[in-house]
Amino acid sequence: MAVSTAPTPTTSSLSFSHLSFFQHKKTSFLCTKNSTVKRKCEHRGVHVKCMVLEKSSAGEAKKTKRQSVYKLQTLTSWLLKQEQDGIIDAELTIVLSSISMACKQIASLVQRAGISKLTGVHGAFNAHGEDQKKLDVVSNEVFSNCLRASGRTGIIASEEEDVPVAVEESYYGNYIVVFDPLDGSSNIDAAVSTGSIFGIYTPNDDCLLDLEDSTTLDTVEQRCIVNVCQPGNNLLAAGYCMYSSSVIFVLTLGNGVFSFTLDPMFGEFILTQENIQIPKAGKIYAFNEGNYQLWDDRLKKYIDHLKDPGPSGKPYSARYIGSLVGDFHRTLLYGGIYGYPRNKKSRNGKLRLLYECAPMSFIVEQAGGKGSDGQQRILDMQPVEIHQRVPLYIGSIEEVEKLEKYLS
């Protein structure tokens, strides 16, 4: 009796567009994509059937989108990409890189503060008559040195200094950088969140300290003060670095808000969040209610409104760290409102327009939120002095606008 045999496969019939397997008992042979078999598939004289395994289009799409787990984008590579796209120039890239280096150093100092005996009061006062913590002084020096060494800054203005500093000609650059080197330093001894805040303003050549020039130092300082006192609308970039359970660097170049987390394994800031958007409304408020009795009656009514459960039966939640960076970062991610109002003792509030309010308002607006002094937009305010204080209400746009209605 004739024994039937499998037909010999032709070249055209065995040309695959997908992965195929030759299977015989427990043995499998892999045919790679688009491979062509030119002879019979045999195993010990027995014909083996070739089977085509089709993959779903969804599976293929999923495979195509899959990225390597080792593909990380550092702050440096991200900045270089912004430079390539024409969003910033090489000079600003260098300034921002120097700021990130300062933040890494300060993060290390904060984490080792107890070990290195950097807790406690330094024994001096800053420009506002406030006790300086030891880390305030060290952080200010670290920030200033990194900016000078960048060779791209013309004026640096710190919350800890009496007046802006014109960078010596040997380090001369154009950018004006304002910063609070260590916000929330009163929390250092308790190891609570602290941070650094910075803003970068339009280049200006009018404030150059030439040691061979006959111009007096007083004249130079006056020019520096005039050039630094710019409204927040002139900011080119702003950001903050939060020193907490993670070290987080948040930055805007005027085209969205991006967050980078310091990876201790590599010592680099890694991009972790892109185009952050603050919720339009939120159920969290952050005010120091210890000052409640010192507030304006209209503000008291607003706070009472937040505490009222209303029809929903659920009042707003109170969360207050006492560190602007920590409170703001939570508000940016979860929504709600942060406020530091004026009161009977502090007629203009406590926070500084140049070093804190303007940079943070620039960031929140880029994320779809709002920064206000209760009456007007923070970024529209023209500073009249270096250490000018203003009330600050910042957060979700609906929450800030609701407060403005109470205060109007």
Side-chain angles (χ1 to χ4, degrees), residues 78-91:
W78 185 83
L79 288 172
L80 290 174
K81 181 64 167 60
Q82 305 309 303
E83 183 183 332
Q84 291 171 0
D85 293 344
I87 297 172
I88 58 176
D89 58 21
E91 308 292 299

Side-chain angles (χ1 to χ4, degrees), residues 141-200:
E141 186 174 349
V142 167
F143 229 99
S144 298
N145 288 342
C146 284
L147 288 171
R148 285 189 173 95
S150 73
R152 300 299 185 275
T153 50
I155 309 173
I156 56 177
S158 168
E159 183 185 2
E160 301 298 326
E161 303 286 351
D162 293 335
V163 294
V165 177
V167 177
E168 293 83 351
E169 189 172 6
S170 57
Y171 295 105
Y172 173 63
N174 287 328
Y175 289 97
I176 298 171
V177 182
V178 298
F179 59 93
D180 180 354
L182 195 60
D183 172 75
S185 58
S186 60
N187 288 323
I188 291 172
D189 295 358
V192 179
S193 298
T194 55
S196 300
I197 307 171
F198 65 89
I200 303 175

Side-chain angles (χ1 to χ4, degrees), residues 194-223:
T194 55
S196 300
I197 307 171
F198 65 89
I200 303 175
Y201 283 91
T202 309
N204 196 306
D205 296 329
D206 293 337
C207 187
L208 169 61
L209 180 57
D210 188 345
L211 298 180
E212 297 180 358
D213 196 349
S214 59
T215 305
T216 65
L217 184 61
D218 288 342
T219 303
V220 172
E221 286 182 354
Q222 289 172 8
R223 290 210 308 262

